[in-house]
Amino acid sequence: MLAAESEARVIPAPHYVGGRWLEDGPHRDRIGPFVKQPVSRSPVAGPTDVTAVRSRLSAYAGETRRSAPSSRAQVLERASALALEHRDAMARILALELGKPVKDGRGEIERVADTFAVCAAEARQIGGETLPVAGWARGVGNTAFTYRAPVGVALAVTPFNAPANLLAHKLGASFAAGNTTVVKAPPQAPASTAAVVALLLEAGMPTEAVQLLHGDGQVGAELCAAPEIGVISFTGSAATGDAVARAAGAKRLVLELGGNAATIVCDDADVAAAARVCARTGFSNSGQSCISVQRVYVHRSRFGEFLDAFTAEVAALSVGDPLDPGTDVGSMVDEDAAERVVQWSAEAVAAGARLLLGGERDGATAMPTVLAEPPDSAAVVVEEVFGALVAVMPFDDFTEVLERCNRSRYGLQAGLFTRDVDRVFTAWRDLEVGGLVVNGSSNFRLDHVPFGGVKDSGFGRESPRSMIEDYTVIKTLMMRGTSLWGERA
């Protein structure tokens, strides 16, 4: 089914409500940023659709929570295998809707397969514990147990930049925990999102375990405020995350709100390796990643050497058609996003930066842009660019560069190239980020390792194990007058 739909001229991306794919009502076409024509079509949810979803949630949650962890794990394992089977078809959808190069799209779907496999493994480990109540006088003669119970209903609000794998994290972990999940798809990636839901249904996910709606921010706000929703996982901008939190009220939240990632290259680093890695990870997905390399701080003694190597690596990247297997950098999500990169680059140059590469666009394709020595007040240093631009700046003192990194209001992830273990532990302790990658750039993630930020990058951690903790509640059973140890109060 997925393969056939991916070959359609305009790929249908229906709602999934009440166990049925629905295409009724007003529609929206997604214009592919590279091909500049409609590539997918989705219905636009309204209040009636939200009401239809909400009316089913309590009953569906009751059904999903009664499924055995082993059966949920088996579904997720089959979904993992199916993701690899449908990898090329799904990568093509990503390329059409988002301009993501197909080789990157295949990589994302391979991560979807890994994520579902990890979710399956974690589903088999959900349990509880026997509490040592008899260790205190008032507990003698009693027994207490805990287990992790599903929250009931989760809301997954996903972004456009990695719509398949980030949905796999949210929906896979929620299902592993025994919840029903409502998915609010990003308007830029309706077919990519529907494909992941279809994959899980093909693998045997019960119809009551998932609902999918397409729509705008108003639909998201209504779902966030719905009392049937017990936990919300949102990935997106800090401003939208703030709106989600206000709409949600007293609900559990997992918020991943972007970043302004820094990578530090010290004087003892392998500069050639650092330049190669930063070039590859600074412009993958046209820089549209919350941990994409945006700021590179290089020790002044190696600054010129790094700039030469880095610009050569970036210049060698292939820019073009995302459907071409040889393309490294495709288009951005739309022309407005590409224009922002051009404007911020020009503003930095006007403030004293040197433009070494790029600074222009072709439609939605922003040419890979390298700026040297922009002032610390420039938008390309202060704000989240989320585009095909990397700023490179010198530093003299390690303590000073850590402080410069920490001036950002974001704190998601950082990179560090050094052979000095003392610097590693100092940076791990003092950098205000959720994760540090050593001898790699900020843009590296393992899907089974906790991932998340501090400050305006949000809170909570996204990995299947961590998310299952957020998607479950600890329930305690207290047995008065009955002791496993045969004691009497």
Side-chain angles (χ1 to χ4, degrees):
M1 186 270 288
L2 289 173
E5 289 191 349
S6 76
E7 294 298 326
R9 189 181 69 84
V10 178
I11 305 165
H15 300 313
Y16 187 75
V17 178
R20 298 172 54 211
W21 292 103
L22 303 175
E23 299 184 75
D24 298 334
H27 284 69
R28 175 188 291 129
D29 285 348
R30 169 60 181 165
I31 306 300
F34 185 83
V35 297
K36 301 180 182 178
Q37 64 186 31
V39 294
S40 61
R41 178 170 298 145
S42 60
V44 179
T48 301
D49 301 296
V50 174
T51 299
V53 166
R54 289 181 56 191
S55 69
R56 295 172 166 86
L57 292 180
S58 295
Y60 279 4
E63 289 296 319
T64 307
R65 77 167 63 246
R66 284 190 286 271
S67 62
S70 64
S71 65
R72 302 195 295 264
Q74 289 168 17
V75 169
L76 290 162
E77 287 166 349
R78 287 193 293 270
S80 176
L82 285 170
L84 295 178
E85 181 180 327
H86 293 299
R87 175 180 52 194
D88 290 346
M90 295 178 74
R92 182 175 183 274
I93 297 173
L94 290 168
L96 289 170
E97 286 195 318
L98 302 171
K100 176 177 289 191
V102 287
K103 65 180 180 182
D104 290 344
R106 283 194 292 266
E108 181 174 346
I109 304 307
E110 288 168 1
R111 289 180 63 185
V112 167
D114 285 348
T115 298
F116 283 149
V118 175
C119 288
E122 295 297 340
R124 299 184 187 278
Q125 301 298 317
I126 298 173
E129 61 178 325
T130 302
L131 301 177
V133 294
W136 284 261
R138 289 190 66 238
V140 173
N142 303 296
T143 302
F145 306 98
T146 66
Y147 86 103
R148 284 199 167 273
V151 167
V153 181
L155 172 62
V157 184
T158 53
F160 71 81
N161 60 316
N165 191 42
L166 293 180
L167 179 56
H169 273 274
K170 299 176 191 299
L171 180 52
S174 179
F175 178 61
N179 294 304
T180 287
T181 308
V182 180
V183 176
K184 162 61 174 66
Q188 305 92 336
S192 301
T193 304
V196 175
V197 173
L199 190 78
L200 283 160
L201 292 169
E202 184 178 341
M205 174 179 274
T207 58
E208 63 269 12
V210 63
Q211 308 271 280
L212 166 65
L213 285 180
H214 303 278
D216 55 19
Q218 182 58 39
V219 172
E222 291 179 24
L223 290 170
C224 287
E228 297 85 1
I229 302 293
V231 58
I232 300 169
S233 178
F234 169 81
T235 301
S237 71
T240 307
D242 184 60
V244 166
R246 290 197 307 271
K251 292 186 175 76
R252 290 179 168 222
L253 295 173
V254 181
L255 302 178
E256 195 273 277
L257 305 180
N260 175 357
T263 292
I264 301 169
V265 181
C266 294
D267 54 357
D268 63 339
D270 182 336
V271 167
R276 184 171 58 253
V277 171
C278 288
R280 186 175 67 249
T281 57
F283 297 98
S284 60
N285 200 20
S286 293
Q288 297 170 121
S289 168
C290 50
I291 53 175
S292 182
V293 178
Q294 179 175 328
R295 297 178 289 158
V296 182
Y297 294 95
V298 184
H299 192 271
R300 194 175 300 276
S301 66
R302 312 295 297 277
F303 186 67
E305 178 187 356
F306 178 88
L307 274 183
D308 289 344
F310 181 64
T311 53
E313 293 283 353
V314 175
L317 296 173
S318 174
V319 182
D321 186 350
L323 289 171
D324 184 339
T327 295
D328 298 307
V329 181
S331 58
M332 294 186 64
V333 68
D334 55 39
E335 292 195 15
D336 288 345
E339 179 61 21
R340 186 188 69 251
V341 171
V342 172
Q343 290 182 357
W344 286 12
S345 172
E347 291 170 6
V349 170
R354 290 182 287 138
L355 177 65
L356 302 183
L357 287 174
E360 57 188 9
R361 68 180 176 94
D362 179 5
T365 301
M367 297 298 113
T369 298
V370 178
L371 293 171
E373 301 182 84
D376 283 354
S377 60
V380 296
V381 178
V382 175
E383 304 296 337
E384 180 180 28
V385 174
F386 211 71
L389 184 152
V390 175
V392 187
M393 295 153 285
F395 75 91
D396 296 296
D397 177 76
F398 191 65
T399 300
E400 168 243 337
V401 77
L402 298 182
E403 190 276 330
R404 289 171 70 187
C405 291
N406 287 340
R407 290 175 192 167
S408 173
R409 65 190 179 102
Y410 297 102
L412 187 52
Q413 199 153 277
L416 174 65
F417 286 88
T418 186
R419 296 183 176 91
D420 187 328
V421 174
D422 184 62
R423 286 174 177 163
V424 170
F425 285 118
T426 299
W428 190 23
R429 180 186 66 239
D430 293 345
L431 281 174
E432 296 169 355
V433 292
L436 176 65
V437 181
V438 176
N439 291 323
S441 77
S442 58
N443 195 358
F444 180 74
R445 178 182 177 185
L446 295 175
D447 292 293
H448 58 288
V449 172
F451 176 80
V454 298
K455 301 195 288 189
D456 277 3
S457 288
F459 50 82
R461 292 296 178 265
E462 287 202 349
S463 69
R465 178 176 296 181
S466 300
M467 295 186 81
I468 285 172
E469 291 180 359
D470 287 308
Y471 288 154
T472 55
V473 294
I474 295 175
K475 298 186 73 172
T476 303
L477 175 65
M478 182 74 71
M479 301 185 67
R480 294 291 307 275
T482 301
S483 175
L484 285 174
W485 297 276
E487 302 155 322
R488 292 191 174 186

